[in-house]
Amino acid sequence: MNTLKKSPFYNNKIAITTSSFAEYDDKPLKLLRESEFGVLINPHKRRLEKNETLELCLECIGIIAGTELYDDNLLRQLKNLKVISRCGVGLDTIDLRTAEALGIKVVNTPNGSTLAVAELTVAFILDLLRKVSFMHLSVKDRKWQKKMGNLLKDKKIGIVGFGRIGQKVAQLLMPFGCTVAYCDLYLKDGIPGFSSLPLEELLGWSDIVSVHVSGNNTIIGAKEINLMKRGSWLINTSRGKSVDEEALYNSLKSRCLQGAALDVFTQEPYCGKLLELDNVILTPHIGSYAVETRVEMEREAVVNLLKELELRGRGR
Ligand code: NAD
């Protein structure tokens, strides 16, 4: 990275706006500091408000960004900004059209959280089948109550959205002796070893449906839940909007679906009706919350930022 010293950006500033950074390993921060840029760190240790982002990033040429908002108005005030490097996947908080118009390059870390989300999904499946969370709460409530569960072996798993995470979930499940099929609207080529089914067929076939789609549409609404097998399970670790929470509530309450697990919600923090039910597992959007994943995502975000700045320094 010595070329940066000679670049037009030498001695410029970079802001880290994520609520935490280098909490578990200081290597990503060291890498940034070695680059001869001045580094400004989010002093609030939480998601920044727009005025706070402006204050921190005003003179910066690069940002390691969290989920704070970068709208048209803010981007236009960050006159020196060349690169936003998201430490994470989602880019919905950044006005990409304005960024492009202003020549601000936006990069992210799409692979970082794949294994973490896939492992959480498998944890949800095992928990639902053996009712671990339910019985844990019951024992804590001083009830010695044994409920029969199910084996994962020989279960049919339907994966909706067969991208990075969906495929990783399938890979992790194979050694358990499951059969996996998927539905993906945009995947052109088939994936060897897995059958592709239309959504309606997949829902009727699956013992467990796991949702891993991208985008902001509702994929599993009341109509789709009605197509699912009676007594089956539903998991959503993708986006809150992917599953209609009201329809899911009705189906869990009437025990049409046996159980569900959700890591994502239409409104977070979640405080809706699903909290009342004992056959749903709810977690606070922790899909990528594994130390190893966090460190790797921070490292990837720094490398991406430095690479883009170096290219800019060379006039590309
Ligand atoms: P990806 O882009 O690799 O895969 C998504 C797949 O969904 C694509 O193959 C796409 O063709 C497919 N798809 C889109 N719309 C569809 C539809 N209507 N029907 C069927 N398939 C459809 O994304 P990924 O990295 O695998 O991430 C999957 C989801 O997980 C995303 O929504 C992402 O935001 C979410 N995610 C959640 C967490 C978390 O903390 N819970 C962390 C990372 C990612």
Side-chain angles (χ1 to χ4, degrees), residues 113 117 163-165 184-186 212-213 219 237 239 263 285 287:
S113 54
V117 182
R164 285 176 292 257
I165 297 172
D184 192 301
L185 285 190
Y186 306 103
H212 301 283
V213 292
I219 311 296
T237 60
R239 302 282 178 106
D263 184 47
H285 206 147

Side-chain angles (χ1 to χ4, degrees), residues 89-90 110 113-114 117 120 160-166 183-187 211-215 217 219 237-239 242 263-264 285-289:
V89 190
S113 54
T114 300
V117 182
L120 178 69
V160 187
F162 211 49
R164 285 176 292 257
I165 297 172
C183 160
D184 192 301
L185 285 190
Y186 306 103
L187 202 63
V211 184
H212 301 283
V213 292
S214 49
N217 299 326
I219 311 296
T237 60
S238 62
R239 302 282 178 106
S242 307
D263 184 47
V264 285
H285 206 147
I286 51 155
S288 61
Y289 272 55

Side-chain angles (χ1 to χ4, degrees), residues 186-201:
Y186 306 103
L187 202 63
K188 287 197 185 77
D189 302 320
I191 304 287
F194 304 105
S195 319
S196 162
L197 296 175
L199 184 62
E200 292 72 21
E201 218 175 298

